[in-house]
Amino acid sequence: MTNRNIILNVDSYKSSHYLQYPPSTTHMSSYIEARGGQFKEAVFFGLQMFIKEYLCQPITEQDIEDAKAIIEAHGVPFNEKGWRYILEAHNGFLPIEIQAVPEGCVIPVKNALVQVINTDPHCAWLTSYIETALLRAVWYPTTVATVSWNCKNIIARYLAETSDNTDGLDFKLHDFGARGATTEEAAAIGGVAHLVNFQGTDTISGLLAARRYYDADMAGFSIPAAEHSTITSWGRENESKAYANMLAQFSGPGKIVAVVSDSYDLNYAIEHYWGEALKNDVESSGGTLVVRPDSGDPITIVTETIERLMSKFGYTVNKKGYRVLPDCIRVIQGDGISLTTIEAILSAMKMRKQSADNIAFGMGGELLQKVNRDTMKFAMKASAAKVEGLWRDVYKDPVTDIGKRSKKGRLAVIRGDDLKTKTIREQDLGGRRNLLETVFKNGQLIRSYSFDEVRLNSNNAHEVIKGSLEVA
């Protein structure tokens, strides 16, 4: 169930805040930042989805009536006068301006990513009222995109060290997370956030989000693949026939098919079915069979699976001295995959002189579900207020946790001559470019990003990192 009434897309206590600001407050300015946490940079993404879905439609008389009934029955005050003012004076469109850094860009944490201010002096209460919806719209897709981006950097590093090229990087991490997401909307938002960095996915909801909100005709791709039921329904005694059927149905020149191979005995399946009975079919297909283990310790299973396949299908040694399976066969590991295990698996492969070319990964819960607002310590805080015609700093500075100290004033984000990103006061901007650009104002989407633009912004930062790896 999705609530389309922005008045009710809120924490309960927000409804009482319009009575709590100083008298004669005409403007409130707030910002969103990742205050730290697991990563040093944030891949900013997802705001455009929220704007298009929730802010480009006006509130209605019915929205106000529904909200009034629910909020007052709930036990908190309802700002009926304020919402009716918005309906009458602004035709129901929220009188706010939202600035944001470009979608897909990589910004060091502890910098402002979004800034919001009311555009009508009668609606100073509105800026913080939308915190609940706006912060959630930003922290989740940004965190997923950041996790995915960091996975990409790890995989790229091992490809640079153990492979002749990085041509297949965009398909090295596949999204397996749809069934583990809390809702279909979460799968869509998280799924498209992953696609900022990679092109492999089984989360169709993410494809639809890329199409709907970022004009991407087709943002990701998949291949025919077996699940345990399509293998085990043949019966254990017919396991090899189930595999042969997969090849007959889906293999061919230039085609790729993935087959889960541990329904009973992975090692036996590799050595006797793939490596003997069906070996000629695999080698002569002109395509690629991707063997998928799905149980056991991921580090041990992957390296041993590759070794067993090499003993049956052979290998070549690339220019960097690492072993590569023939093009007809590869491995995908989709069980127990996280940032940590990707690094551990690739490290173990490197120690055994196995190239990262041999492996792709599928990531589910760790990609779309095992993140929260504290993964990157996201927060939205007020930083400036205009009271009786004068701007004043608004900030918190708790002595019990300096990490929660907030920023002061109207803000700007710059990239200095040293290429370092900094958040400064807007009044100190001078002639420098402010990375916080207006993307929404008074019901209108001002700046729209295509998915190609988003990917380019993310990839530019990745290419800098990849270039430094190659030089090293």
Side-chain angles (χ1 to χ4, degrees):
M1 182 181 71
T2 301
N3 168 36
R4 300 298 177 194
N5 185 345
I6 195 69
I7 306 174
L8 292 171
N9 195 347
V10 68
D11 288 319
S12 303
Y13 78 143
K14 289 287 188 183
S15 188
S16 68
H17 290 177
Y18 75 103
L19 297 170
Q20 299 179 31
Y21 294 107
S24 303
T25 301
T26 58
H27 292 83
M28 291 293 298
S29 182
S30 298
Y31 71 96
I32 293 175
E33 72 172 327
R35 295 182 293 196
Q38 187 174 344
F39 305 107
K40 294 180 179 179
E41 297 93 10
V43 182
F44 177 68
F45 178 70
L47 176 60
Q48 184 166 297
M49 290 188 280
F50 174 72
I51 290 174
K52 286 187 174 183
E53 186 68 26
Y54 292 96
L55 299 186
C56 289
Q57 292 76 37
I59 63 166
T60 65
E61 175 71 28
Q62 190 62 53
D63 289 335
I64 295 173
E65 291 296 330
D66 290 345
K68 175 180 169 65
I70 290 170
I71 289 175
E72 289 185 345
H74 183 47
V76 289
F78 178 62
N79 188 6
E80 183 176 1
K81 180 180 177 182
W83 286 110
R84 289 200 179 280
Y85 175 81
I86 291 174
L87 180 63
E88 294 164 7
H90 297 281
N91 296 317
F93 291 103
L94 301 192
I96 56 173
E97 178 180 354
I98 301 176
Q99 296 174 301
V101 298
E103 295 222 10
C105 75
V106 181
I107 299 289
V109 297
K110 301 182 180 180
N111 281 289
L113 300 171
V114 177
Q115 185 167 235
V116 191
I117 189 171
N118 59 292
T119 59
D120 186 317
H122 295 95
C123 300
W125 56 272
L126 183 60
T127 299
S128 289
Y129 189 91
I130 65 169
E131 174 189 350
T132 308
L134 185 61
L135 180 59
R136 183 175 56 228
V138 168
W139 81 254
Y140 176 63
T142 297
T143 303
V144 173
T146 302
V147 170
S148 177
W149 187 78
N150 278 273
C151 289
K152 188 173 187 178
N153 290 333
I154 291 171
I155 297 168
R157 171 158 49 90
Y158 281 94
L159 284 172
E161 293 171 353
T162 70
S163 304
D164 288 338
N165 59 67
T166 59
D167 291 347
L169 178 59
D170 286 349
F171 291 93
K172 284 294 187 180
L173 184 64
H174 205 88
D175 176 7
F176 283 179
R179 70 189 62 182
T182 52
T183 64
E184 194 274 339
E185 186 179 44
I189 294 171
V192 70
H194 166 72
L195 290 170
V196 170
N197 306 294
F198 290 94
Q199 293 187 52
T201 184
D202 261 35
T203 301
I204 288 181
S205 298
L207 302 177
L208 300 180
R211 181 186 293 262
R212 178 171 182 174
Y213 301 114
Y214 294 92
D215 301 318
D217 182 52
M218 182 47 61
F221 303 89
S222 189
I223 59 172
E227 69 174 21
H228 287 291
S229 74
T230 64
I231 300 301
T232 58
S233 60
W234 291 71
R236 184 164 188 163
E237 67 281 5
N238 293 315
E239 185 179 6
S240 65
K241 292 181 180 179
Y243 294 158
N245 178 66
M246 291 297 296
L247 294 178
Q249 297 289 349
F250 304 113
S251 68
K255 295 181 178 180
I256 305 173
V257 56
V259 184
V260 63
S261 301
D262 72 328
S263 295
Y264 305 110
D265 186 334
L266 173 66
N267 294 337
Y268 190 90
I270 291 171
E271 294 187 8
H272 296 285
Y273 298 147
W274 296 127
E276 292 177 359
L278 300 171
K279 182 172 184 285
N280 183 63
D281 294 338
V282 172
E283 292 176 330
S284 63
S285 71
T288 301
L289 165 70
V290 182
V291 173
R292 178 164 72 92
D294 196 44
S295 55
D297 173 63
I299 301 167
T300 302
I301 290 298
V302 167
T303 52
E304 290 187 356
T305 294
I306 292 172
E307 289 292 347
R308 291 180 186 276
L309 289 171
M310 285 180 171
S311 72
K312 290 296 183 177
F313 289 88
Y315 60 85
T316 57
V317 178
N318 64 23
K319 295 175 183 177
K320 294 181 179 175
Y322 291 86
R323 294 178 293 155
V324 185
L325 284 162
D327 290 343
C328 66
I329 194 147
R330 287 292 185 270
V331 175
I332 185 168
Q333 177 66 24
D335 180 58
I337 294 302
S338 66
L339 264 170
T340 302
T341 55
I342 287 174
E343 173 91 42
I345 290 167
L346 290 171
S347 176
M349 289 174 58
K350 182 180 177 182
M351 289 181 64
R352 297 181 72 158
K353 286 294 182 179
Q354 298 172 354
S355 171
D357 274 331
N358 296 303
I359 187 76
F361 300 97
M363 195 168 170
E366 289 280 348
L367 181 64
L368 300 191
Q369 193 63 27
K370 289 189 180 179
V371 296
N372 57 53
R373 186 165 68 91
D374 287 333
T375 301
M376 300 182 69
K377 299 186 184 300
F378 264 95
M380 178 171 163
K381 296 299 175 187
S383 60
K386 195 172 187 179
V387 183
E388 296 182 348
L390 297 175
W391 281 104
R392 63 175 61 167
D393 289 345
V394 178
Y395 64 96
K396 60 182 288 187
D397 191 6
V399 296
T400 50
D401 188 351
I402 62 172
K404 290 189 174 183
R405 180 184 297 157
S406 63
K407 293 173 168 53
K408 304 174 183 178
R410 285 282 292 167
L411 305 174
V413 177
I414 62 167
R415 200 159 267 152
D417 295 336
D418 57 1
L419 298 182
K420 291 184 178 179
T421 303
K422 303 172 187 175
T423 299
I424 62 172
R425 289 180 180 267
E426 187 181 61
Q427 65 196 47
D428 298 330
L429 187 60
R432 293 174 291 187
R433 179 196 170 196
N434 186 358
L435 295 181
L436 290 172
E437 301 176 322
T438 298
V439 294
F440 174 86
K441 189 172 184 179
N442 300 339
Q444 299 298 314
L445 181 66
I446 303 298
R447 173 66 164 95
S448 180
Y449 291 91
S450 71
F451 207 58
D452 286 341
E453 287 180 282
V454 175
R455 278 177 162 167
L456 182 62
N457 288 336
S458 171
N459 197 54
N460 281 344
H462 166 74
E463 288 297 324
V464 170
I465 292 175
K466 190 175 80 170
S468 66
L469 293 173
E470 291 171 348
V471 169

